[in-house]
């Protein structure tokens, strides 16, 4: 996937409405999870990402600072994110409890 053509989201676009369900890709462009929900909005938000699992079963929710993810829109306007962390690194984070 060529992310260079994708448009980064501005901090005022970092809202639950825009990010909910966004796919998160790792360093090798593999899908590592999806956004479950947000705590807060904008540059200081915490993003809860469901890592791994299949169709939401067995996924592990972890909390990340929104700044640790690069959210962008692709050519069709769909929001996704890239992370420098691998799926295994995310799975090693403590589980997020609501």
């Amino acid at each position: 996937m060529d992310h260079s053509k994708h448009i980064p989201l501005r901090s005022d676009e970092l809202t639950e409405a825009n990010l909910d369900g966004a796919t998160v890709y790792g360093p090798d462009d593999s899908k590592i999870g999806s956004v479950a929900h947000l705590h807060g909005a904008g540059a200081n938000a915490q993003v809860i990402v469901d890592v791994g699992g299949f169709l939401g079963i067995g996924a592990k929710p972890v909390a990340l600072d929104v700044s640790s993810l690069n959210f962008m829109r692709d050519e069709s306007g769909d929001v996704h994110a890239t992370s420098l962390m691998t799926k295994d690194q995310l799975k090693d984070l403590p589980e997020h409890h609501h």
Side-chain angles (χ1 to χ4, degrees), residues 23-74:
T23 300
V24 180
Y25 295 96
D28 57 357
D29 271 347
S30 62
K31 181 178 174 182
I32 56 175
S34 62
V35 175
H37 59 273
L38 257 66
H39 290 296
N44 298 319
Q46 284 255 295
V47 181
I48 311 308
V49 176
D50 283 335
V51 181
F54 182 69
L55 299 177
I57 299 165
K60 178 182 178 179
V62 297
L64 297 171
D65 289 329
V66 75
S67 60
S68 67
L69 296 166
N70 293 314
F71 284 99
M72 59 194 88
R73 286 182 204 279
D74 64 16

Side-chain angles (χ1 to χ4, degrees), residues 1-8 72-77 80:
M1 184 179 302
D2 181 6
H3 298 288
S4 66
K5 293 183 172 69
H6 298 169
I7 301 160
M72 59 194 88
R73 286 182 204 279
D74 64 16
E75 293 86 348
S76 57
H80 64 280

